[in-house]
Amino acid sequence: MANVVVIGAQWGDEGKGKITDLLSRSADVVVRYQGGVNAGHTVVVKDQTFKLHLIPSGILYPATQCVIGSGTVIDPKALIAELDKLKTLNVSADNLKISETAHVTMPYHRMIDQAAEERRGTHKIGTTKRGIGPTYADKSERTGLRVIDLMDLKSFRENLEWTIANKNVVLERLYDLPPLDPQAVFDEYAQYAERLRPHVIDSSLAIYQAVQQRKNILFEGAQGTLLDLDHGTYPYVTSSNPVAGGACIGSGVGPTMIDRVIGVAKAYTTRVGEGPFPTELSGEIGQHLCDRGAEFGTTTGRQRRCGWFDAVIGRYAVRINGLDCLAITKLDVLDEVDEIQVCVAYDLNGKECHELPGSAELFGQCKPIYKTLPGWKQSTAECRTLEDLPKQALAYLKFLAELMEVPIAIVSLGASRDQTIIVEDPIHGPKRALLYENGSQSQVA
């Protein structure tokens, strides 16, 4: 039995959906613990592509219970559309459970998010404009509406009338937007309530009972470490805590119930939205990575900014999350590159810096210090073991593991489930590992 947290070790979009899907086959329960419909996890099974936003990636396994935890924010309209889409693909959602204490994204949240981002002008953050930040803001102000409120329509109507009266003042006076009609919003959300009612549970209790029954539990984060509200590149961050510690708060479990943490990182680096990005590539190589890696956001469709692998933020992710193994994705995207660069440190105003600056301004002044490695110039798409990899590709993985000082457990070589090398099963224990001890390179078993 193992309870494992899967987190993004970069700025999100690392391929967590595929990794969570792979690990879900060994899990009894998959818990999504933070974020909202701003997340986008893509899973490819044979000739079908599944794009998930709120629903945990484990939904594709009928025997796996999937839980949307209390740390998430739920847009009922978007969630129901996702359920309907899965139905058209012949995927049952009977195994989906929703926390009764998760907060609900309302129409005014989306309106405020969009208007506020437009008003920022050149200071924009790069929000998805899906209402996530304002929903979390209301949660912190203790004025939010939760799923459990939605289940009691009489109480919901009363709370909604008071809330919308206050939100209309903001919409009209601050953003010059039309007011919302409380009755229209109530009628719409009352329908959502009835549709979602069969899925609503006390999720913390359900997860605790699964722990007591010694079931395998997978905790799935959205976004990535560098987008964490407290530990990311603030203010260019999300509104929740994607880091491993957020799994406990967002799921309602204690830290002693977590056994392992696996970080997912691309073989290069991408970022969506605004903010500093030291290894960003603006020329031909950057466009090549974008095109070959299909680097367009699952949720927004925005083109992702691409750059070389950044070991400084990688080591930061190891420290902040307590990572004990890595999944490296999209190694195949580098198949045609002549030389590969890896950022091993920063030059910050003439001084060598090995740690992530806490200030976005200072981070923006960092220049990457690179180590250059040879490319392998051949396809890795059909490789299924480490021994199948070109020697330069294996050397590249070993170099990353050495820089990050954690073993690589999984290597992904494409979008499909079968395009994967499982070096070590993070749930059922090691078979063989790409390890580094005390900075010295060991042999692959």
Side-chain angles (χ1 to χ4, degrees), residues 179-200:
L180 289 167
D181 176 7
Q183 184 62 49
V185 175
F186 173 80
D187 291 343
E188 177 186 358
Y189 275 69
Q191 295 181 49
Y192 299 153
E194 295 312 308
R195 178 73 182 276
L196 297 178
R197 191 179 299 277
H199 299 279
V200 177

Side-chain angles (χ1 to χ4, degrees), residues 13 96 106 272 293 313 326 328 344-345 355 367 401 419 441:
D13 307 307
L96 176 68
M106 303 296 294
V272 171
I313 68 170
L326 285 166
I328 299 295
V344 297
E355 302 297 337
K367 307 299 181 185
Q419 291 179 298
Q441 183 174 312

Side-chain angles (χ1 to χ4, degrees), residues 193-308:
E194 295 312 308
R195 178 73 182 276
L196 297 178
R197 191 179 299 277
H199 299 279
V200 177
I201 63 168
D202 179 342
S203 62
S204 177
L205 176 60
I207 296 167
Y208 180 76
Q209 290 173 338
V211 172
Q212 295 296 97
Q213 295 164 11
R214 301 187 64 78
K215 292 185 176 181
N216 294 323
I217 305 173
L218 195 62
F219 298 88
E220 175 187 23
Q223 289 88 41
T225 299
L226 277 297
L227 291 177
D228 187 90
L229 180 60
D230 292 295
H231 303 289
T233 50
Y234 190 91
Y236 306 101
V237 294
T238 192
S239 304
S240 58
N241 294 108
V243 295
C248 295
I249 297 171
S251 303
V253 301
T256 56
M257 296 180 185
I258 304 298
D259 298 304
R260 301 198 70 180
V261 183
I262 178 170
V264 185
K266 281 177 182 166
Y268 49 102
T269 309
T270 63
R271 178 167 198 172
V272 171
E274 307 301 315
F277 184 0
T279 67
E280 183 172 11
L281 296 165
S282 57
E284 184 179 338
I285 294 293
Q287 192 60 50
H288 172 79
L289 296 178
C290 180
D291 294 342
R292 186 170 170 84
E295 296 297 353
F296 298 91
T298 303
T299 298
T300 64
R302 290 181 294 181
Q303 181 171 319
R304 298 175 185 137
R305 301 155 65 189
C306 296
W308 296 119

Side-chain angles (χ1 to χ4, degrees), residues 61-203:
Y61 295 92
T64 301
Q65 185 178 73
C66 293
V67 180
I68 301 177
S70 59
T72 62
V73 292
I74 296 174
D75 184 330
K77 182 178 181 179
L79 177 56
I80 289 170
E82 201 169 331
L83 290 169
D84 290 342
K85 179 63 176 178
L86 286 175
K87 187 175 182 180
T88 66
L89 297 171
N90 297 315
V91 176
S92 171
D94 292 344
N95 54 337
L96 176 68
K97 305 300 177 184
I98 302 169
S99 171
E100 62 185 8
T101 55
H103 279 248
V104 179
T105 295
M106 303 296 294
Y108 46 80
H109 291 134
R110 292 190 295 270
M111 295 169 70
I112 291 172
D113 197 6
Q114 293 166 14
E117 181 73 350
E118 290 171 6
R119 176 166 287 195
R120 289 188 184 102
T122 58
H123 299 285
K124 63 182 179 179
I125 295 171
T127 171
T128 59
K129 302 180 182 179
R130 302 301 175 93
I132 308 303
T135 309
Y136 277 114
D138 279 4
K139 177 179 179 178
S140 296
E141 289 182 349
R142 292 158 293 176
T143 59
L145 297 170
R146 303 184 299 172
V147 171
I148 198 168
D149 300 318
L150 197 59
M151 295 299 103
D152 182 347
L153 292 181
K154 181 177 181 296
S155 175
F156 178 65
R157 181 191 290 272
E158 294 173 357
N159 289 331
L160 188 64
E161 288 178 354
W162 179 87
T163 301
I164 287 186
N166 285 276
K167 294 298 181 183
N168 277 344
V169 173
V170 176
L171 292 172
E172 292 181 276
R173 297 185 183 178
L174 184 58
Y175 296 114
D176 196 26
L177 292 172
L180 289 167
D181 176 7
Q183 184 62 49
V185 175
F186 173 80
D187 291 343
E188 177 186 358
Y189 275 69
Q191 295 181 49
Y192 299 153
E194 295 312 308
R195 178 73 182 276
L196 297 178
R197 191 179 299 277
H199 299 279
V200 177
I201 63 168
D202 179 342
S203 62

